[in-house]
Coordinates of all heavy atoms in Angstrom, one line a residue:
E1 N 96.9 98.3 93.7 CA 96.4 97.5 94.9 C 97.6 96.6 95.4 O 97.7 96.5 96.6 CB 95.2 96.6 94.5 CG 95.4 95.5 93.6 CD 95.4 95.9 92.1 OE1 95.4 97.1 91.8 OE2 95.4 95.0 91.3
K2 N 98.4 96.1 94.5 CA 99.6 95.3 95.0 C 100.6 96.2 95.6 O 101.3 95.8 96.6 CB 100.1 94.5 93.9 CG 99.1 93.4 93.3 CD 99.7 92.7 92.1 CE 100.7 91.6 92.6 NZ 101.1 90.7 91.4
A3 N 100.8 97.4 95.1 CA 101.7 98.4 95.6 C 101.3 98.7 97.1 O 102.2 98.8 98.0 CB 101.8 99.6 94.8
R4 N 100.0 98.9 97.3 CA 99.6 99.3 98.6 C 99.8 98.1 99.6 O 100.3 98.3 100.7 CB 98.1 99.6 98.6 CG 97.7 100.9 98.0 CD 96.3 101.3 98.2 NE 95.4 100.4 97.5 CZ 94.9 100.6 96.3 NH1 95.3 101.7 95.6 NH2 94.1 99.8 95.8
R5 N 99.6 96.9 99.1 CA 99.8 95.7 100.0 C 101.3 95.6 100.4 O 101.6 95.3 101.5 CB 99.2 94.5 99.4 CG 99.5 93.2 100.3 CD 98.7 92.1 99.8 NE 99.0 90.9 100.7 CZ 98.4 89.7 100.5 NH1 97.5 89.5 99.7 NH2 98.8 88.7 101.3
L6 N 102.1 95.8 99.4 CA 103.6 95.7 99.6 C 104.0 96.7 100.7 O 104.8 96.4 101.6 CB 104.4 95.9 98.3 CG 105.9 95.8 98.5 CD1 106.3 94.4 98.8 CD2 106.6 96.3 97.2
A7 N 103.5 97.9 100.6 CA 103.8 99.0 101.5 C 103.4 98.6 102.9 O 104.0 99.0 103.9 CB 103.2 100.3 101.1
E8 N 102.3 97.9 103.0 CA 101.7 97.5 104.3 C 102.4 96.3 105.0 O 102.4 96.2 106.2 CB 100.2 97.3 104.2 CG 99.4 98.5 103.8 CD 98.0 98.2 103.4 OE1 97.7 97.0 103.3 OE2 97.2 99.1 103.1
T9 N 102.9 95.4 104.1 CA 103.4 94.1 104.7 C 104.9 93.9 104.6 O 105.3 92.9 105.1 CB 102.7 93.0 103.9 OG1 103.0 93.1 102.5 CG2 101.2 93.1 104.1
S10 N 105.6 94.8 104.0 CA 107.1 94.6 103.9 C 107.8 95.8 104.6 O 107.2 96.8 104.8 CB 107.5 94.4 102.5 OG 107.6 95.7 101.8
P11 N 109.1 95.6 104.8 CA 109.9 96.7 105.4 C 110.4 97.8 104.4 O 111.2 98.6 104.7 CB 111.1 96.0 106.0 CG 111.3 94.8 105.1 CD 109.9 94.4 104.7
V12 N 109.8 97.7 103.2 CA 110.3 98.7 102.1 C 110.0 100.1 102.6 O 109.1 100.4 103.3 CB 109.5 98.4 100.8 CG1 108.0 98.7 100.9 CG2 110.1 99.1 99.6
D13 N 110.9 101.0 102.2 CA 110.7 102.4 102.6 C 109.7 103.2 101.8 O 109.0 104.1 102.3 CB 112.1 103.1 102.4 CG 113.1 102.6 103.4 OD1 112.9 102.9 104.6 OD2 114.0 101.9 103.0
Q14 N 109.6 102.8 100.5 CA 108.6 103.5 99.6 C 108.3 102.6 98.4 O 109.1 101.9 97.9 CB 109.1 104.9 99.2 CG 108.1 105.8 98.5 CD 108.7 107.2 98.2 OE1 109.8 107.5 98.6 NE2 107.9 108.0 97.6
V15 N 107.0 102.7 98.0 CA 106.6 101.9 96.8 C 106.0 102.9 95.8 O 105.2 103.7 96.1 CB 105.6 100.8 97.2 CG1 105.2 100.0 96.0 CG2 106.1 100.0 98.3
F16 N 106.4 102.7 94.5 CA 105.9 103.5 93.4 C 105.1 102.6 92.5 O 105.5 101.4 92.2 CB 107.0 104.1 92.6 CG 107.9 105.1 93.3 CD1 108.9 104.7 94.1 CD2 107.6 106.4 93.2 CE1 109.7 105.6 94.8 CE2 108.4 107.4 93.9 CZ 109.4 106.9 94.7
V17 N 104.0 103.1 91.9 CA 103.3 102.4 90.9 C 104.0 102.6 89.6 O 104.3 103.7 89.2 CB 101.8 102.9 90.8 CG1 101.1 102.2 89.6 CG2 101.1 102.6 92.1
D18 N 104.4 101.5 88.9 CA 105.2 101.6 87.7 C 104.5 102.3 86.6 O 103.2 102.4 86.5 CB 105.6 100.2 87.2 CG 107.0 100.1 86.7 OD1 107.5 101.1 86.2 OD2 107.6 99.0 86.8
G19 N 105.3 102.9 85.7 CA 104.7 103.6 84.5 C 105.9 104.1 83.7 O 107.1 104.0 84.0
D20 N 105.5 104.8 82.6 CA 106.6 105.3 81.6 C 107.5 106.3 82.3 O 108.7 106.4 81.9 CB 105.9 105.9 80.4 CG 105.2 104.8 79.6 OD1 105.5 103.6 79.7 OD2 104.3 105.3 78.8
D21 N 107.0 107.0 83.3 CA 107.8 108.1 83.9 C 108.4 107.6 85.2 O 108.8 108.5 86.1 CB 107.0 109.3 84.1 CG 105.8 109.1 85.0 OD1 105.4 107.9 85.3 OD2 105.2 110.1 85.5
I22 N 108.5 106.3 85.4 CA 108.9 105.8 86.7 C 110.3 106.3 87.1 O 110.5 106.7 88.3 CB 108.9 104.3 86.8 CG1 109.2 103.8 88.2 CG2 109.8 103.7 85.8 CD1 108.2 104.2 89.2
A23 N 111.3 106.4 86.2 CA 112.6 106.9 86.6 C 112.6 108.3 87.1 O 113.2 108.6 88.1 CB 113.5 106.7 85.3
E24 N 111.8 109.1 86.4 CA 111.7 110.5 86.8 C 111.1 110.7 88.2 O 111.6 111.5 89.0 CB 111.0 111.3 85.7 CG 111.7 111.5 84.4 CD 111.8 110.2 83.6 OE1 110.9 109.3 83.8 OE2 112.7 110.0 82.8
R25 N 110.0 109.9 88.4 CA 109.4 110.0 89.7 C 110.3 109.5 90.9 O 110.3 110.1 91.9 CB 108.1 109.3 89.7 CG 107.0 110.0 88.9 CD 105.6 109.3 89.0 NE 105.5 108.1 88.2 CZ 105.3 106.9 88.7 NH1 105.1 106.7 90.0 NH2 105.2 105.9 87.8

């Protein structure tokens, strides 16, 4: 839910939900 809000309210290009495979994704 915080990742979605960040994507909506900031100029970031892409937001990922963190997890063990974050580097690979």
Side-chain angles (χ1 to χ4, degrees):
E1 67 277 11
K2 294 177 77 171
R4 287 192 294 270
R5 180 166 175 179
L6 181 67
E8 294 167 356
T9 60
S10 83
V12 69
D13 293 290
Q14 191 171 358
V15 184
F16 295 85
V17 177
D18 218 330
D20 293 340
D21 62 343
I22 186 63
E24 291 71 27
R25 285 188 284 124

